[in-house]
Amino acid sequence: MDHMEPDHAGSIRLLRQQYPDVQIIGNARTFGMLQGYHDITTGLYEVKEGDTLSIGRRELSFYMAPMVHWPEVMVTYDATDKILFSADAFGTFGTLDGGIIDEEMNVDHFWDEMIRYYSNIVGKYGNPVQKALQKISSLEIKTICSTHGPVWRENIEKTISIYDRLSRYEGEQGVVVIYGSMYGHTEQMAEAIASSLAANGIKNIVLHNVSKTHASVILKDVFKYKGIIVGSPTYSNQLYPEVESVLNKIETREVKNRLYGYFGSFTWAGAAVKHLAAFGERMKWDVVAEPVEQKQGLIINTYEECLALGETMANKLKNL
């Protein structure tokens, strides 16, 4: 039992009912969850960090990987066929539409889905992922069996490198513009900033209207790109609710090392920019420029400030 999350281990009680003498191998934290979820307390074989177990022609070894992404997680290595059973690590969203092993399919669409999976499921736990990667770095791995997505054989090096980069919060050159808009004015600001980014040499630009884009996709791009610009209208002296919801998700994942810009609009009392400033301070991100704030409709002066914000962000990114 490498991972006790019910989408993987939910049928373990049925297995024990059908095969009452089966031994369940796990660590001490696994067994606490086995009791809590399934009231199983007998027939258990405990393993610790680095233990080995011979089962016929195979010799298994066990490496603890706590918080990747639950505390009981471990990975199992089969030294005979060089297989790493990695629990949720190296997983990806997406169905297996016929093929199971990466050699049997076109896996191009899985790479962005791997980033989306990591950012939404594992994202907060960069340091534990780095520790787990160090533990398996000395193993000769010919196959990775993750519990989500394809079995990896041809793409092992790329798969591990993606998890390594994401767990170090290393963003690519590009900018995510996240915004909410009630009457279209904040959206006009976002589009002006995006056009300036493009005019100043940034090719990877993604605009996300929080009322239309699923939060999991926004989080994926936050992990993928180095620059983040957020805009919000003032809503009852707070942030636009969908903007606030996305920012809470980003903050929960403790995303590090980002360049940050922000902007906002209001009709009679401005507060969004103040809240966006506080968010940036909590994240300890590098603020690239003064924020842009617009009262009511977009005017030429504010439009030019939006262009300047985009230009400053572009220059910062290109100079990294």
Side-chain angles (χ1 to χ4, degrees):
M1 296 299 303
D2 286 329
H3 183 27
M4 274 299 303
E5 201 170 5
D7 58 327
H8 307 303
S11 59
I12 191 67
R13 188 186 316 187
L14 179 62
L15 182 66
R16 173 54 69 82
Q17 289 171 353
Q18 295 298 313
Y19 303 96
D21 296 329
V22 71
Q23 289 262 308
I24 299 176
I25 301 167
N27 59 68
R29 285 178 167 170
T30 306
F31 298 154
M33 293 185 181
L34 270 172
Q35 181 177 9
Y37 276 116
H38 303 295
D39 197 28
I40 293 175
T41 58
T42 60
L44 309 180
Y45 184 97
E46 183 179 348
V47 293
K48 299 181 174 65
E49 180 72 40
D51 282 357
T52 60
L53 178 66
S54 179
I55 52 169
R57 76 179 187 91
R58 298 183 186 276
E59 184 173 275
L60 307 179
S61 54
F62 307 93
Y63 302 90
M64 303 303 121
M67 302 320 301
V68 186
H69 59 114
W70 273 26
E72 89 299 352
V73 172
M74 66 183 187
V75 299
T76 301
Y77 178 66
D78 167 27
T80 304
D81 289 329
K82 317 301 184 189
I83 301 171
L84 182 71
F85 297 92
S86 63
D88 277 355
F90 311 118
T92 171
F93 287 134
T95 58
L96 301 178
D97 301 326
I100 296 173
I101 302 169
D102 61 354
E103 299 168 332
E104 304 169 342
M105 64 183 87
N106 182 346
V107 296
D108 289 349
H109 68 288
F110 280 112
W111 302 124
D112 250 17
E113 287 297 88
M114 179 173 282
I115 299 172
R116 188 167 73 94
Y117 178 89
Y118 180 94
S119 59
N120 284 270
I121 306 299
V122 187
K124 180 182 178 71
Y125 304 110
N127 287 336
V129 171
Q130 281 291 302
K131 291 177 181 177
L133 290 175
Q134 291 172 9
K135 289 182 181 182
I136 68 170
S137 62
S138 62
L139 302 177
E140 181 186 358
I141 301 171
K142 294 185 177 179
T143 303
I144 294 178
C145 294
S146 173
T147 51
H148 291 278
V151 169
W152 301 109
R153 283 185 182 163
E154 285 187 336
N155 296 279
I156 288 174
E157 184 176 345
K158 183 172 183 177
T159 298
I160 293 175
S161 70
I162 289 174
Y163 265 65
D164 179 44
R165 176 172 55 81
L166 292 172
S167 60
R168 289 185 284 107
Y169 304 98
E170 182 183 300
E172 301 174 21
Q173 189 185 85
V175 181
V176 187
V177 183
I178 304 166
Y179 71 92
S181 192
M182 290 188 286
Y183 308 115
H185 303 120
T186 316
E187 186 168 55
Q188 290 174 339
M189 298 173 76
E191 290 172 347
I193 291 167
S195 68
S196 179
L197 289 165
N200 286 279
I202 302 302
K203 294 184 178 180
N204 295 320
I205 306 165
V206 186
L207 272 75
H208 285 307
N209 183 332
V210 294
S211 297
K212 298 179 180 180
T213 305
H214 195 274
S216 70
V217 177
I218 298 175
L219 286 170
K220 179 258 292 182
D221 287 330
V222 167
F223 270 81
K224 187 173 184 178
Y225 295 118
K226 182 73 172 179
I228 300 174
I229 301 176
V230 183
S232 176
T234 296
Y235 183 94
S236 297
N237 211 37
Q238 301 294 323
L239 291 170
Y240 189 60
E242 284 76 9
V243 171
E244 184 174 33
S245 176
V246 168
L247 296 189
N248 286 340
K249 291 177 172 64
I250 295 171
E251 192 169 352
T252 294
R253 284 156 180 80
E254 300 178 6
V255 181
K256 299 174 177 61
N257 307 323
R258 292 297 183 264
L259 299 179
Y260 179 53
Y262 56 103
F263 62 99
S265 64
F266 65 97
T267 294
W268 65 85
V273 164
K274 175 185 68 176
H275 291 299
L276 292 174
F279 167 76
E281 290 176 2
R282 294 193 300 272
M283 298 300 296
K284 299 180 181 178
W285 287 348
D286 182 5
V287 179
V288 301
E290 290 295 316
V292 182
E293 188 171 37
Q294 173 61 44
K295 182 177 181 179
Q296 297 158 14
L298 185 62
I299 60 174
I300 187 61
N301 288 346
T302 310
Y303 176 77
E304 291 174 350
E305 290 175 5
C306 289
L307 297 182
L309 174 56
E311 181 179 4
T312 303
M313 174 64 84
N315 290 336
K316 285 271 191 177
L317 281 170
K318 289 186 294 185
N319 290 328
L320 289 176

